């Protein structure tokens, strides 16, 4: 959805966690666990903590693009009681093991990010981003009434049996 109707763009830092897996098929599980308002001074994939079982990394930055046309979804996210930022990670097949594919505060877009080979997590929204998002919604939201579309009536003559071209039947 990147385009000319982006009104506000917020930069966030993404924190991911690696845990030892309790599985014979994989060594670790990965998940986005937090976003930070702004861009930290750390280099991407800096280790923040590691206790042998669990490690956290600053994975890099992502942008949250806010669109005037999506304010209804943003409002619903804020009203949910657990405002979230959806972060999508995709496997790289190398080091680092994941790359930040996208981040959004739109629940519908967050759901749309789910696809094979990607990890999507809804992480808690920082208070500063929640405040900025609430101001954005207050400034740009326009309530639109639902209008039920009326169906066209069927033309009974259009459904009638017609003679083949030339006007003759096989009888």
């Amino acid at each position: 959805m990147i385009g000319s109707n982006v009104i506000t763009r917020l930069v966030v830092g993404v924190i991911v966690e690696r845990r030892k897996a309790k599985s014979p098929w994989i060594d670790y599980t990965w998940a986005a666990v937090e976003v930070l308002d702004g861009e930290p001074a750390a280099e991407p994939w800096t280790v923040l903590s590691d206790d042998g079982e669990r490690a956290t990394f600053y994975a890099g930055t992502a942008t949250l693009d806010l669109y005037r046309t999506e304010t209804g979804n943003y409002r619903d996210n804020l009203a949910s009681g657990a405002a979230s930022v959806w972060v999508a990670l995709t496997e790289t097949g190398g080091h680092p093991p994941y790359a930040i594919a996208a981040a959004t505060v739109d629940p519908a877009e967050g759901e749309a990010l789910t696809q094979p080979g990607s990890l999507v997590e809804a992480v808690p929204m920082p208070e500063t981003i929640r405040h900025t998002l609430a101001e954005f919604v207050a400034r740009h939201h326009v309530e639109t009434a639902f209008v039920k579309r009326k169906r066209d009536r069927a033309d009974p003559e259009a459904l009638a049996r017609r003679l083949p071209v030339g006007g003759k039947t096989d009888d």
Side-chain angles (χ1 to χ4, degrees), residues 144-149:
T144 55
F146 176 76
V147 178
K148 185 172 181 178
R149 183 176 65 100

Side-chain angles (χ1 to χ4, degrees), residues 101-113:
T104 184
V105 292
D106 180 345
E109 188 176 2
E111 182 180 345
L113 291 172

Side-chain angles (χ1 to χ4, degrees), residues 9-32:
R9 181 168 277 166
L10 306 172
V11 176
V12 295
V14 177
I15 307 297
V16 298
E17 181 179 76
R18 178 190 72 199
R19 287 184 177 209
K20 281 202 174 195
K22 297 173 184 165
S23 167
W25 296 282
I26 59 172
D27 296 329
Y28 300 102
T29 61
W30 292 84

Side-chain angles (χ1 to χ4, degrees), residues 64-92:
L64 300 175
D65 293 335
L66 303 183
Y67 300 90
R68 183 180 7 219
T69 56
E70 302 302 323
T71 56
N73 290 342
Y74 304 153
R75 182 190 60 199
D76 294 346
N77 185 4
L78 292 169
S80 71
S84 299
V85 176
W86 284 261
V87 178
L89 304 172
T90 55
E91 276 190 272
T92 64

Side-chain angles (χ1 to χ4, degrees), residues 29 31-32 44 59 74 85 91 100 107 114 134-136 139 146 154 158-159 171:
T29 61
Y74 304 153
V85 176
E91 276 190 272
I100 301 166
T114 59
E135 286 180 346
F136 183 85
R139 187 170 46 248
F146 176 76
L159 300 174
D171 297 341

